[in-house]
Amino acid sequence: MSVTGMLALAAGLFAMAAAASLASCVYEAVARRAVAASMLASSRTEQLMLKLKGGVRPLRGPARKAFAKYAYLDDACQSAVLLLQERGADFTKEALLSLLGAAVIVAVVAGSLLGGSLTFGAAFGCVVFIGAVAYVRNRSEKRNLAMREEIPDVLRTLGMSFRSGHSLPQTLTEASQESDGYLSHLLSVAADRLEMGATTTEALSPMRGNARLPELSFVAVALDVQHKSGGSIAPVLESATESIEGELKLMRSLRVQTAQAKLSASIVTVMPFLLVALFSLMSPDFLSPFFSSVLGMAVLALALVMQMAGVVIVRRMLKVEAA
């Protein structure tokens, strides 16, 4: 057996051992929570959610370190947490990333066994990871855009409610009923805080410091000032509505202009791993020449670095939309 074959066999055995250890840890964690889940949940779906909320314990530590090192992972997991919270599921970032890590490990091992090549398993695991992160980011962007599109209607509701003589808590409650999702949650939280005796600054703080809806920051400051000093806020809300509608129009135009670049970036990111998986499935030893010499490994490493650099550069160029 050649040196490359021995290395591939050793890597496969190590991956199988790691997968077996991970499966054992997951089984023990699930077994400990099974009794509590069956007592607290009334359906199989709820039981499964309770079992998954803690994530995979051995991977939660590496997940926390990954958040400190890679900001895009932190952003993606935070977006996934908010999306799940809107659907009534409460997860932590560490739990979600540990579950994703477990899924990638399973994909690598399953791909290596089914495809007969460790290269195919590694490429398949990369595709699973990139696909999951891209899916969450895409859903989060669409949800954020939909909520920002609702803001002008919410501002009109606030203006009409103020003209009707309603108080600030009543106005926020009415606006929360007219909206849905995360935006409705923000407005209802502010109204509840005011009803419980909090100051306007404390009640409106979630709106003022919200990164997902930066347009609400100006509105929160205006509502705070109006509540403290009095006066009519309707003209301010009308001006804010016109300004936000103009910004949304510009954003739609920018999205149309960058749609092709985003598609190209997605293809450039995923296609190399898909091709590696396909070629390794048809010819398991097609990457062997790269591992047979120092020069081959250097060329392979250079290709990976150039791939990552290209992805980073393209995504930084597309960040102008969020600015």
Side-chain angles (χ1 to χ4, degrees):
M1 183 180 294
S2 63
V3 176
T4 304
M6 294 178 64
L7 291 175
L9 178 61
L13 293 175
F14 177 77
M16 293 176 61
S21 176
L22 176 61
S24 177
C25 294
V26 173
Y27 176 79
E28 292 179 0
V30 171
R32 286 195 298 268
R33 298 169 185 169
V35 177
S38 61
M39 294 176 61
L40 295 175
S42 57
S43 66
R44 292 184 177 180
T45 302
E46 292 176 351
Q47 292 178 13
L48 179 62
M49 294 299 292
L50 286 173
K51 294 173 184 178
L52 295 177
K53 278 184 179 180
V56 182
R57 182 170 298 180
L59 298 180
R60 285 186 300 191
R64 285 190 290 269
K65 295 179 180 179
F67 288 142
K69 191 173 183 180
Y70 303 104
Y72 75 94
L73 281 179
D74 194 359
D75 294 338
C77 288
Q78 183 62 37
S79 299
V81 167
L82 294 175
L83 290 173
L84 290 172
Q85 285 178 351
E86 293 180 7
R87 290 160 176 77
D90 188 14
F91 280 81
T92 63
K93 295 187 299 182
E94 290 80 6
L96 287 178
L97 189 57
S98 66
L99 290 172
L100 177 59
V104 170
I105 292 175
V106 171
V108 171
V109 175
S112 300
L113 295 177
L114 297 177
S117 170
L118 183 61
T119 304
F120 175 79
F124 183 61
C126 291
V127 171
V128 170
F129 176 79
I130 295 173
V133 174
Y135 175 79
V136 170
R137 292 174 68 93
N138 185 48
R139 289 294 301 270
S140 179
E141 288 178 1
K142 288 183 177 180
R143 185 63 186 129
N144 290 344
L145 180 61
M147 288 188 296
R148 296 174 80 172
E149 294 282 355
E150 292 181 20
I151 292 179
D153 294 332
V154 171
L155 295 182
R156 293 188 184 95
T157 302
L158 292 174
M160 289 186 294
S161 182
F162 277 120
R163 288 191 183 95
S164 301
H166 293 168
S167 63
L168 181 57
Q170 292 173 332
T171 300
L172 292 175
T173 300
E174 183 177 351
S176 68
Q177 294 172 353
E178 295 294 331
S179 57
D180 59 1
Y182 184 68
L183 185 57
S184 175
H185 172 71
L186 281 179
L187 295 170
S188 62
V189 167
D192 292 341
R193 289 185 177 183
L194 287 173
E195 292 290 349
M196 290 186 294
T199 64
T200 54
T201 302
E202 295 172 347
L204 298 174
S205 58
M207 297 171 57
R208 183 183 293 110
N210 191 274
R212 299 178 71 188
L213 300 172
E215 293 83 1
L216 288 181
S217 179
F218 170 76
V219 177
V221 173
L223 291 175
D224 191 9
V225 173
Q226 186 273 341
H227 187 74
K228 292 178 179 179
S229 60
S232 176
I233 196 175
V236 178
L237 294 177
E238 291 177 357
S239 300
T241 302
E242 294 177 359
S243 176
I244 292 174
E245 285 179 339
E247 182 180 349
L248 291 175
K249 183 178 180 180
L250 178 61
M251 184 186 304
R252 295 188 202 104
S253 175
L254 189 58
R255 284 177 62 87
V256 172
Q257 296 176 11
T258 58
Q260 184 176 0
K262 281 191 171 185
L263 179 61
S264 300
S266 301
I267 294 175
V268 169
T269 302
V270 178
M271 187 59 67
F273 298 102
L274 289 177
L275 291 177
V276 168
L278 180 62
F279 291 155
S280 61
L281 186 61
M282 294 187 298
S283 177
D285 296 330
F286 93 102
L287 281 181
S288 298
F290 288 99
F291 298 101
S292 61
S293 65
V294 177
L295 179 60
M297 290 187 287
V299 171
L300 183 60
L302 179 61
L304 292 175
V305 171
M306 293 177 65
Q307 166 71 13
M308 297 305 299
V311 172
V312 171
I313 292 173
V314 172
R315 295 202 174 276
R316 285 187 177 180
M317 292 173 61
L318 294 175
K319 270 188 177 181
V320 66
E321 180 179 350

